Structure formats: C-alpha cells, structure tokens
Amino acid sequence: GENVEQHPSTLSVQEGDSAVIKCTYSDSASNYFPWYKQELGKGPQLIIDIRSNVGEKKDQRIAVTLNKTAKHFSLHITETQPEDSAVYFCAASILSGNQFYFGTGTSLTVIP
Amino acid sequence: KAGVTQTPRYLIKTRGQQVTLSCSPISGHRSVSWYQQTPGQGLQFLFEYFSETQRNKGNFPGRFSGRQFSNSRSEMNVSTLELGDSALYLCASSRQGGQSNEQFFGPGTRLTVL
C-alpha cells in the first residue's frame, strides 16, 4: 500500500517568515494530494490540495508544489502569522478511490 | 451548509465494554470514512462506506466495525474495548464521483478507555 512520510515533525518560525513542510509518497498511482490543518480540539481542515496533472497551486499565502518524478510534494506558507500555528498533515490518495494515506503531521509554531 | 457532525464528542468507557459512535456527513455526500488518531500513530484509516456498502478497510481487528444508513449517516462500533483503543475517532465525508473526492472532517469523538 501507499506510504507517506512527512518532515519535519516540529517546526518553529518567527512571525513573517516562511514555513515549508515536505512529504514523500511511494505509490506512483496516487494522484491527489491534500493538506490539512488541525487546531487543538478540532478535526483536520482541508486547506489546499493538488492533483497530479498540476505542478503547483497557490491560494493567497499558501502554496503546494508537486514533483511526480521524485514522488514528493511540499506545503509552503509565506508571511506566517500566529494563527498559522497548528498541526499540518499531508495525504495521498487515488482520485478514483477514496482511501487516504496520511503523513505523521508537522507541529508548526509561529513565534510572535 | 452544515459540516460533518459527530456524536458524542467525548466518551469514557472501561475495558471490555463496547461503544457506538455516530457521524452525519455533509448533505449530499455519500462517502463516509473513519479514522483513528493517536499521538503515536497519527491518522490511521479504519474503513470507508459508500451507499451503505463498505468499500475500503484498513488494518484494524474485527472488533472495529461500521455501517452506513440510507441517509448516508454512519456508525462505528468497537467491541471489547482495550486501553489502546483510547483515541480521537474522526469521521470524514466526501461527495465522491468524478474528479472530486475532497474529504471534510468532523470534530471527532474523544474516546477514553479506563
């Protein structure tokens, strides 16, 4: 089955700096890669996703890049704010199916 | 549009008991997936239901079971609870079909087994 690895497990940045979280996957059939943000006491919230026919997608301060050849994808958050502090999860799945494989999460702390 | 709802939000049980958790998906969503989230293991897939049929299943023992009703609401049951079953149980719904399978999560049910 699919194996998703996520790094780093913890990340601290100063407010206004950028944060980058990286994930790798093993199954070349995976073609859908969402990112989730989980705040304390809440369920994961979808923040951005990318499909394998696209190399990059951006939504305001958040961007995701995908390298299909190397089987890795990354989340980029620019101009970080304290409210960006949360745990971020990457995931991989096949669009025609509905089984998601999650990374182990990155705890991001933005220091004011 | 209302989000995914899960009940109850918190549960305390003792070893050997059984528990039933409930999930109501977003209106129009026909797929419901269940995940177990623990600090050590992260998010682990339990199973997925679509149109009242279990379509995918993760690597969990048979003590974990589920079902889905005709209105897409889903329940998850854990029998003979063990201490290690203490976790946050998350439900996610998606519309399914075509090129859209974004999953939307509920707030979870925090299960504590004593």
Side-chain angles (χ1 to χ4, degrees):
Chain A
E2 174 67 280
N3 181 45
V4 177
E5 295 190 356
Q6 182 172 348
H7 299 281
S9 57
T10 60
L11 179 60
S12 291
V13 298
Q14 292 289 333
E15 182 177 358
D17 286 351
S18 295
V20 180
I21 302 170
K22 299 182 179 182
C23 288
T24 60
Y25 61 99
S26 60
D27 190 346
S28 57
S30 292
N31 56 10
Y32 176 64
F33 307 93
W35 285 88
Y36 290 86
K37 174 184 180 182
Q38 187 174 24
E39 297 174 317
L40 204 60
K42 297 183 179 181
Q45 178 189 7
L46 178 68
I47 56 172
I48 195 167
D49 57 15
I50 191 167
R51 291 172 170 77
S52 59
N53 58 350
V54 175
E56 183 175 359
K57 183 176 179 180
K58 190 173 182 181
D59 182 4
Q60 299 182 346
R61 297 186 297 108
I62 295 173
V64 57
T65 58
L66 171 65
N67 183 326
K68 284 189 296 182
T69 304
K71 296 197 188 73
H72 67 70
F73 55 113
S74 301
L75 177 71
H76 305 252
I77 305 174
T78 59
E79 300 171 21
T80 53
Q81 302 167 1
E83 52 265 39
D84 293 330
S85 295
V87 179
Y88 291 80
F89 292 94
C90 63
S93 78
I94 299 172
L95 268 173
S96 59
N98 210 36
Q99 185 161 353
F100 285 64
Y101 298 87
F102 283 82
T104 48
T106 296
S107 178
L108 173 65
T109 302
V110 179
I111 304 165
Chain B
K1 192 185 236 184
V4 178
T5 58
Q6 292 187 246
T7 57
R9 291 294 312 276
Y10 302 92
L11 264 179
I12 299 176
K13 293 286 187 178
T14 56
R15 280 182 299 173
Q17 287 187 310
Q18 74 166 20
V19 67
T20 299
L21 314 181
S22 180
C23 171
S24 292
I26 293 171
S27 178
H29 286 193
R30 297 168 63 190
S31 169
V32 174
S33 297
W34 289 89
Y35 294 85
Q36 181 194 65
Q37 185 176 29
T38 58
Q41 299 295 320
L43 276 150
Q44 291 190 293
F45 174 77
L46 280 154
F47 30 65
E48 183 235 354
Y49 286 86
F50 180 78
S51 293
E52 301 179 65
T53 301
Q54 187 181 89
R55 195 163 58 170
N56 290 298
K57 190 177 189 304
N59 295 323
F60 277 81
R63 300 185 297 108
F64 292 81
S65 62
R67 59 178 176 168
Q68 186 180 34
F69 302 95
S70 58
N71 61 358
S72 294
R73 190 177 71 85
S74 178
E75 287 182 348
M76 190 192 97
N77 184 273
V78 187
S79 62
T80 320
L81 284 166
E82 300 176 359
L83 294 179
D85 296 333
S86 294
L88 180 67
Y89 289 89
L90 292 160
C91 157
S93 77
S94 65
R95 186 177 300 277
Q96 264 293 272
Q99 292 293 297
S100 173
N101 69 339
E102 293 96 335
Q103 285 198 340
F104 298 89
F105 282 85
T109 294
R110 172 74 61 185
L111 172 64
T112 301
V113 182
L114 302 175

